[in-house]
Amino acid sequence: MFKKLLAFFAAMFLVAAFAAVDVNKATEAELDGIKGIGPVTTKLIISERKKGEFKSWDDFVTRVKGVGDKNAAKFSAEGLTVSGATYQGPSAAPAKKANKPLTEKAKDAAVSTKDAVKGAAISTKDAVKGAAVGTKDAVKETAKDVKTAVTPKADAAKPAASAAKK
């Protein structure tokens, strides 16, 4: 019997913990108990509620600063309701356009853009390659000039050596 009584109280506790909190009737403490709603948001909700009850989630999101669709979905998942209703998403969201097949003009524009990007990449690659070859050739020429400047010429060395022997 004790186990059944304990199970009953545990079940009642869980029901009370997950009970829905209506934004139009909740106390300040109940609003603070909703995960994501802090003291600042609670004060905003209560001050807006004094002006009039929230008629829908759209009304709630519009009137309470800092609460958007994302926060409204979180609050609803945590047990907050507006007039007993849970959040169903933005109702005034513009309908997405159906995926229309590309027209020939759009296809041609996409192809020409792709070709232009490819051409630019190739010309950039060629420019870098040309600069590297030019730099390599310049380094070779500089090395030859340095070697020539440092190494004495054989013709100039012979007369100096023969003059020293005499």
Side-chain angles (χ1 to χ4, degrees), residues 4-5 11 13-14 20 30 54-55 64 80-81 91 96-99 106 109 114 117 136 151 155 160 162 166:
K4 288 182 182 179
L5 189 60
F13 176 74
L14 287 174
E30 289 173 329
F54 298 104
K55 296 182 182 10
V64 179
L80 189 68
T81 62
S91 62
K96 286 188 174 182
K97 294 180 182 178
N99 289 338
K114 182 179 174 183
V117 169
K136 184 178 175 183
T151 308
D155 297 338
S162 55
K166 292 182 183 180

Side-chain angles (χ1 to χ4, degrees), residues 134-148:
T135 304
K136 184 178 175 183
D137 291 343
V139 168
K140 283 183 181 179
E141 288 298 317
T142 304
K144 284 180 186 177
D145 292 344
V146 169
K147 187 176 181 181
T148 304

